[in-house]
Amino acid sequence: MSTRQVVLWRHGRTAWNVAGRVQGQSDVPLDDVGRVQARDAAARLAALRPYRIVSSDLVRASETAQILGDVTSQEVELDVRLREMDFGAREGLTWHEAWQQFPEGMQAWIDGDETQIPGGETHRQAGERFAAALHDHLQDLPNRGVLVVVAHGAVLRTG
């Protein structure tokens, strides 16, 4: 019986999180609080003795992962498929700003049509991308191995 374990870990806080801005695939760094959050969580996760640490290549996730990598002396592997969902033209905007700029698109998004705001991907597309990456990373995880995946809120929920 396999006893592999997967830990899905969302990156620490950013200034855009505080401001309520959609980050998506914009490469926004952790803020000081986010670094403290990552260090605190890494201290706990290190006790699991991860076999592998895999992260989105976006800096807020990769920095979070690297903090764990430093604690455990593990290499952090980057995978672009673990990036956050691409929110297209909404990236960098607050909820209010998005409604001002794209009122019809935002209403369509609320109603379940995620294709009306330019440049984005759907939750389904992002989830399938993430799930494919996770499946690939699980292929060589040994019995009793722990895989830590560092990514982003929307893609973790949908993947």
Side-chain angles (χ1 to χ4, degrees), residues 16 21-26 85-95 97-103 105-106 109 114-121:
W16 280 22
R21 298 201 175 279
V22 175
Q23 295 177 111
Q25 294 190 5
S26 299
M85 183 173 155
D86 186 342
F87 289 96
R90 285 183 51 207
E91 292 192 15
L93 302 178
T94 64
W95 187 254
E97 291 166 343
W99 273 96
Q100 285 183 320
Q101 290 186 31
F102 307 105
M106 288 297 290
W109 191 76
E114 299 175 285
T115 65
Q116 299 304 307
I117 296 177
E121 69 183 326

Side-chain angles (χ1 to χ4, degrees), residues 14-117:
T14 71
W16 280 22
N17 290 136
V18 176
R21 298 201 175 279
V22 175
Q23 295 177 111
Q25 294 190 5
S26 299
D27 210 5
V28 181
L30 296 175
D31 65 12
D32 290 340
V33 170
R35 288 182 192 93
V36 169
Q37 290 171 333
R39 281 194 297 274
D40 289 349
R44 293 181 190 97
L45 290 173
L48 297 175
R49 295 183 307 212
Y51 177 78
R52 289 177 71 196
I53 304 167
V54 183
S55 175
S56 158
D57 66 326
L58 296 176
V59 69
R60 60 192 182 270
S62 62
E63 185 179 357
T64 298
Q66 190 57 57
I67 291 169
L68 177 59
D70 292 346
V71 171
T72 62
S73 299
Q74 287 283 83
E75 179 182 335
V76 174
E77 303 168 53
L78 301 181
D79 187 334
V80 298
R81 298 174 299 169
L82 300 175
R83 281 184 173 193
E84 178 59 293
M85 183 173 155
D86 186 342
F87 289 96
R90 285 183 51 207
E91 292 192 15
L93 302 178
T94 64
W95 187 254
H96 179 73
E97 291 166 343
W99 273 96
Q100 285 183 320
Q101 290 186 31
F102 307 105
E104 296 85 15
M106 288 297 290
Q107 187 59 56
W109 191 76
I110 293 293
D111 293 339
D113 180 355
E114 299 175 285
T115 65
Q116 299 304 307
I117 296 177

Side-chain angles (χ1 to χ4, degrees), residues 2 5 16 26 29 31 38 41 88 105-106 110 115-116 118 125 128 131 134-135 137 142 152 157-158:
S2 178
Q5 198 172 19
W16 280 22
S26 299
D31 65 12
M106 288 297 290
I110 293 293
T115 65
Q116 299 304 307
Q125 291 166 331
E128 288 173 352
L134 184 58
H135 178 76
H137 292 298
H152 311 270
R157 285 188 301 275
T158 62

